């Protein structure tokens, strides 16, 4: 019975987080009230406070949930047996281009959507964003180092610095895509990425 209760509680918590992530990826953090999340989740207000002490606490948990999923997907993409490390990296950026849509990212671009907003609102959420993005950059750096070692790409700087520059390039492109409402910034980012890694165009 205890195990069943724990599983149920975990499922409810997951449902609230997933629902909130989807809504906030479209509207932002401040514009979404708890009532909207609860109504969409079909969860009573009292149940929400069983899992989260505040909206900020929910925001931290939501970002952790987002990055856990994101990093798992990234590990799968970069860890595939097929292709060189350079090919896996370019596959990751191609997936970014395809999923970080300016019209509907379906919760996949939460860090881009909330980054600037919540960094000014909550130091706890900012710290969670820092940890999550650091995890992404670290994995990219490992893939870059492996790619340089196998000869599938060329680096003119330390892997960590190149990884940070590439991530910042793509975050910037994601913001511009939302502004111009076309995929042109992503196409430019893909071209620049290939140039940075000295891959044939």
């Amino acid at each position: 019975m205890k195990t069943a209760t724990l599983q149920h509680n975990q499922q409810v918590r997951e449902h609230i987080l997933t629902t909130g992530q989807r809504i906030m990826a479209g509207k932002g953090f401040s514009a979404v009230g708890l009532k909207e999340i609860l109504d969409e989740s079909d969860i009573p207000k009292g149940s929400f406070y069983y899992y989260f002490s505040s909206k900020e606490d929910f925001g931290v948990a939501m970002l952790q949930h987002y990055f856990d999923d994101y990093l798992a997907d990234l590990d799968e993409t970069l860890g595939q047996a097929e292709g060189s490390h350079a090919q896996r990296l370019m596959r990751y950026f191609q997936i970014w281009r395809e999923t970080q849509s300016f019209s509907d990212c379906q919760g996949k671009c939460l860090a881009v959507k909330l980054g600037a907003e919540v960094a000014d609102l909550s130091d706890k959420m900012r710290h969670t964003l820092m940890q999550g993005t650091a995890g992404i950059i670290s994995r990219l750096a490992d893939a870059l180092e492996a790619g340089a070692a196998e000869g599938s790409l060329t680096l003119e700087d330390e892997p960590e610095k190149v990884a940070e520059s590439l991530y910042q390039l793509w975050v910037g492109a994601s913001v511009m895509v939302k502004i111009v409402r076309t995929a042109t910034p992503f196409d430019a980012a893909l071209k620049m990425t290939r140039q940075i890694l000295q891959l044939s165009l």
Side-chain angles (χ1 to χ4, degrees):
M1 180 67 70
K2 187 176 181 180
T3 300
T5 300
L6 289 174
Q7 289 178 342
H8 171 74
N9 289 343
Q10 182 60 36
Q11 289 172 353
V12 173
R13 187 177 187 273
E14 176 86 9
H15 177 57
I16 298 172
L17 289 171
T18 301
T19 302
Q21 179 176 318
R22 175 174 50 79
I23 296 172
M24 288 183 176
K27 297 183 177 181
F29 184 78
S30 300
V32 178
L34 293 182
K35 186 178 185 305
E36 182 175 359
I37 297 173
L38 298 175
D39 288 347
E40 189 71 21
S41 305
D42 196 25
I43 299 295
K45 187 174 183 179
S47 295
F48 176 88
Y49 286 109
Y50 174 81
Y51 299 102
F52 311 102
S53 61
S54 64
K55 185 180 178 183
E56 181 186 40
D57 181 44
F58 169 78
V60 170
M62 180 182 63
L63 287 170
Q64 290 173 337
H65 178 265
Y66 164 78
F67 280 115
D68 285 346
D69 288 346
Y70 190 104
L71 292 174
D73 288 343
L74 178 55
D75 286 339
E76 182 178 353
T77 299
L78 297 180
Q80 291 178 352
E82 296 181 2
S84 66
H85 286 283
Q87 289 172 326
R88 297 177 209 174
L89 280 163
M90 294 309 298
R91 188 176 303 122
Y92 163 67
F93 290 119
Q94 184 62 45
I95 292 172
W96 186 323
R97 183 192 186 283
E98 294 169 357
T99 59
Q100 307 281 325
S101 167
F102 58 84
S103 59
D104 181 17
C105 64
Q106 297 179 340
K108 299 181 184 298
C109 49
L110 198 67
V112 174
K113 181 69 177 183
L114 301 187
E117 178 190 1
V118 302
D120 292 331
L121 294 175
S122 165
D123 198 54
K124 291 181 180 179
M125 293 177 70
R126 182 186 63 81
H127 184 68
T128 304
L129 281 162
M130 282 182 58
Q131 288 182 316
T133 55
I136 296 172
I137 292 169
S138 175
R139 285 161 171 77
L140 294 178
D142 289 344
L144 288 167
E145 185 174 13
E150 73 182 4
S152 63
L153 57 87
T154 301
L155 301 179
E156 294 186 351
D157 207 338
E158 296 295 324
E160 294 78 9
K161 293 181 179 179
V162 177
E164 186 173 15
S165 295
L166 286 174
Y167 185 71
Q168 291 172 352
L169 168 67
W170 279 86
V171 169
S174 297
V175 174
M176 287 306 302
V177 160
K178 293 180 181 298
I179 294 173
V180 301
R181 300 287 174 172
T182 74
T184 302
F186 282 150
D187 294 335
L190 273 174
K191 183 177 181 180
M192 179 60 67
T193 299
R194 299 188 72 87
Q195 291 176 351
I196 290 172
L197 302 183
Q198 300 186 36
L199 305 178
S200 60
L201 300 176

